Amino acid sequence: MTCPVCGGGELSGYACDERFESRRCPVCGYVATRFRDGFTPATGYYGSIGSAAAFTRSVGAVRRRQMERLLDCAARHGVRGGRLLDIGSGHGWLLRAARSRGFDAYGIEPSLEADDPRVRRGCFPHTGFAGLKFDMVAAIDVIEHLPLPALDGFLSGARAALQRQGLLALKVPDAGGAILAASRGAHRLSGGRYRGPLDRMLQLNYAHPHVSYFTRDSLRRLLERHRFRVVAEQGDPEIAPGTIWGRVGCEQPLPLPLRLVSGAALWSLWLFALASGRKDALIVLARP
């Protein structure tokens, strides 16, 4: 199969077991995952959170920092306020960060009920704010869940919602990240028996698994195909030292020895990601 993003390479085997098959493009690095007949994800993402406090201290702390970095980057490119649309607003980390800086921030979220009159439940672009134009349209950890054919409508809708000099802000997991590489390696070396880390990276146990993993090159190509011009891109770690203990225990209680081993592994991967530059999140800003 030819890469659907760059059209320049044949997708080759990356990881697989009886539930899924992931294939990677040798040219642009795009990773596509398809699910085998009979495979059904277990639960929604938010329903998997066992400890809300641990989730807030770990994942929440990292997301809040990432949202501040994203807004700092947008400010350097001329968007310091105005109207912002957060597609997939989730727990509202970007909405709160943007409003604290004076943005008039709106959200769309399919999975959670929000006690906020400016957040609508639904899926973009079918759900939106007719008649409004935005200085920034953001999709944080969203497009990796969408099949590529659906991304055409998504990006066209984002383009239509933006002001002429507005910014599209995307955050995605990076296909070149250290944790994905280690998770794939563990899955492969164990013959598919050690599944936990790769299941988490592909979100196989959630209602909407990752069907795409992008690199800088593949995401840039996708955006350019939809007539966006990338103006900034930066890698960002998905974990931080002070959040690791909460991260390994926020979804389900683990026996202490396993939690210690998992925490030590994440700590090591964080150090490797910093040293090698192989960070696990990619933040991109683009203009129409």
Side-chain angles (χ1 to χ4, degrees):
M1 175 183 175
T2 302
C3 177
V5 174
C6 74
E10 291 294 317
L11 298 183
S12 58
Y14 182 78
C16 68
D17 60 30
E18 77 280 1
R19 302 165 300 163
F20 75 95
E21 179 184 30
S22 295
R23 301 180 71 83
R24 180 180 181 275
C25 174
V27 176
C28 71
Y30 172 71
V31 176
T33 298
R34 70 174 185 88
F35 306 103
R36 303 193 192 277
D37 293 343
F39 170 68
T40 303
T43 183
Y45 176 72
Y46 299 109
S48 71
I49 299 169
S51 170
F55 182 81
T56 299
R57 289 194 306 269
S58 56
V59 177
V62 171
R63 293 291 179 270
R64 288 191 294 272
R65 176 185 54 75
Q66 288 172 335
M67 297 308 97
E68 296 295 343
R69 286 199 70 196
L70 184 152
L71 292 170
D72 287 344
C73 188
R76 292 194 292 272
H77 289 273
V79 177
R80 299 177 178 84
R83 196 177 285 134
L84 178 147
L85 175 61
D86 184 10
I87 302 169
S89 52
H91 290 274
W93 292 307
L94 179 56
L95 293 176
R96 287 189 291 274
R99 288 169 182 168
S100 73
R101 298 187 183 211
F103 281 88
D104 183 16
Y106 295 74
I108 297 171
E109 170 55 45
S111 302
L112 292 175
E113 292 285 0
D115 186 20
D116 185 330
R118 287 179 293 178
V119 175
R120 293 183 176 172
R121 187 170 188 179
C123 294
F124 184 83
H126 308 293
T127 299
F129 294 87
L132 294 184
K133 289 282 190 175
F134 296 88
D135 298 279
M136 185 187 305
V137 172
I140 309 303
D141 296 320
V142 170
I143 69 168
E144 64 270 21
H145 298 276
L146 303 178
L148 282 182
L151 265 180
D152 292 340
F154 183 95
L155 291 172
S156 295
R159 184 183 181 84
L162 279 168
Q163 300 277 15
R164 185 174 179 183
Q165 291 299 313
L167 283 174
L168 173 67
L170 300 176
K171 174 185 169 288
V172 296
D174 193 328
I179 297 178
L180 177 63
S183 301
R184 178 219 181 195
H187 184 274
R188 193 169 188 174
L189 289 172
S190 69
R193 289 184 292 274
Y194 184 48
R195 299 182 169 190
L198 189 59
D199 282 9
R200 182 63 183 84
M201 297 305 289
L202 295 177
Q203 297 201 352
L204 294 178
N205 295 323
Y206 307 129
H208 302 287
H210 292 168
V211 295
S212 292
Y213 256 85
F214 295 96
T215 59
R216 293 185 185 216
D217 184 30
S218 57
L219 186 54
R220 179 183 289 268
R221 289 171 186 255
L222 177 72
L223 291 172
E224 288 175 349
R225 197 173 77 205
H226 288 84
R227 296 182 296 131
F228 283 95
R229 176 174 57 89
V230 173
V231 297
E233 53 190 11
Q234 60 188 30
D236 203 272
E238 284 284 33
I239 52 176
T243 69
I244 288 174
W245 189 247
R247 175 67 75 110
V248 298
C250 68
E251 293 189 11
Q252 57 183 351
L254 296 175
L256 182 59
L258 183 55
R259 195 172 181 186
L260 288 169
V261 170
S262 299
L266 281 180
W267 183 276
S268 300
L269 287 169
W270 173 76
L271 290 173
F272 175 73
L274 288 185
S276 65
R278 297 183 63 177
K279 298 175 182 177
D280 286 275
L282 176 60
I283 296 171
V284 170
L285 300 183
R287 279 202 161 93

